[in-house]
Amino acid sequence: MRRVLVTGGAGYIGSHTCLELLNAGFEITVVDNLSNSTQESLQRVSTLTGKEIAFFEVDLLDARGLDAVFSKGNFETVIHFAALKAVGESVAQPLQYYQNNVTGTVNLCQAMQKHGVTDLVFSSSATVYGIPKSLPLTEQSETLIHEVTNPYGRSKLMVEFVLKDWQTAFPSMNIALLRYFNPVGAHVSGLIGEDPSGLPNNLLPYVSQVAVGKLEKLGVFGDDYETSDGTGVRDYIHVVDLAVGHVLAVKKLSENPGVVIYNLGTGIGYSVFQIIAAFEEASGRNIPFEIMPRRAGDIAACFADPSLAKRELGWTANRGIQEMCVDGWRWQSNNPNGYS
Ligand code: NAD
Ligand code: UFG
């Protein structure tokens, strides 16, 4: 059985991945500073799986605290989700984002190196592709740091460089850079899901809070893009498909591949209007909306070529847009106030 340390495991994608790891027979330890999550998510994962999760409330910026976790764990693999992720906040607080996301990762790598842990899966993002020159995006598409549209995205691309340089210096390291497209939805149980604090930044959490009556109407950020209906197009991926991708990435690293990079998306783009229609169907609720100006930094369209992950991991996203909306709605309607 492989022992996996999951940073940021109490968060949205982390908690779903913990569930899939436990179901696949891995033993897991979570470190999280709970800055954007609660331990309740992990308690529910334990309820769903009937398995224990070792938890340490530690900040990645606390190098000594992190070292103590590694001393207790004897881990073989680390999955690194812990990061701040709000694009707008990163523009206002760039230093906080670089410190948390970049320095936090460097601390993690130093602890791994000290304790002889060689395998790392990193949460990267399609945001590293900046403004796409052509679609779909493959792993070979350009990633130019000055074209990434915000400090959050740049922190992700900087970490990719940090990890590649580290692996070049220490070739026994194995690193998977997973570039997620737009994770949405929730576990089919309706017990775990996305619980944004404050006003949601992302489309699906906003739409579901309108559907449940917590918010009055959705602002659609632009209807004059060069897309089929003028609204922004994205590659939405069910969070459980994404979680399964991590289990397969952990297995891949045991083949000692060095650095591998995979897009995790469905390959299909949906517009904001298509998402509204799908969510109305899933929830049986009306989603009032208003057309607003474009949001700064937004791109017209973004979707993946996920064929490399299929070839090399044996991974495909199996859950379609309807399932994403039905599962997201089940979570939202069963937990209108999230975990609180
Ligand atoms: P999340 O905020 O729900 O989870 C991140 C977790 O990390 C939280 O539990 C938070 O408390 C923890 N954390 C943050 N900084 C920490 C620190 N310094 N020390 C310890 N714990 C810390 O976010 P998520 O949506 O689950 O995202 C997980 C990862 O995936 C992030 O790295 C994010 O950048 C990346 N990602 C997310 C999306 C998305 O749309 N959700 C898209 C692409 C990439
Ligand atoms: N949108 C609206 N109204 C809203 C929110 C979003 O119209 O209230 C639109 C956006 O303009 C965009 C689409 O819905 O066209 C999707 O927006 P999201 O904010 O949900 O997602 P983004 O693609 O902008 O960004 C997300 C994450 C980033 C990540 C990126 C790529 O927020 O962190 O996906 O993975 F980098």
Side-chain angles (χ1 to χ4, degrees), residues 60-72:
L60 295 193
L61 297 176
D62 170 12
R64 285 171 64 180
L66 202 53
D67 183 63
V69 173
F70 274 84
S71 298
K72 291 182 193 128

Side-chain angles (χ1 to χ4, degrees), residues 12-13 32-33 35-37 59-60 81 85 100 152 156:
Y12 171 47
I13 304 169
D32 199 304
N33 65 1
S35 59
N36 197 37
S37 54
D59 194 310
L60 295 193
F81 294 105
K85 62 162 185 176
N100 194 77
Y152 160 72
K156 289 284 155 187

Side-chain angles (χ1 to χ4, degrees), residues 77-147:
T77 308
V78 175
I79 305 182
H80 177 31
F81 294 105
L84 296 173
K85 62 162 185 176
V87 170
E89 186 183 59
S90 80
V91 175
Q93 301 290 342
L95 300 183
Q96 193 191 351
Y97 270 67
Y98 290 125
Q99 183 180 39
N100 194 77
N101 295 359
V102 183
T103 307
T105 303
V106 172
N107 286 347
L108 178 68
C109 295
Q110 280 168 334
M112 287 178 67
Q113 188 150 312
K114 179 174 168 197
H115 292 270
V117 184
T118 55
D119 291 4
L120 175 66
V121 178
F122 173 62
S123 296
S124 190
S125 166
T127 194
V128 300
Y129 294 116
I131 302 160
K133 303 212 170 35
S134 65
L135 291 168
L137 290 158
T138 74
E139 291 79 356
Q140 308 306 321
S141 298
E142 266 183 342
T143 55
L144 299 173
I145 200 132
H146 60 277
E147 288 197 3

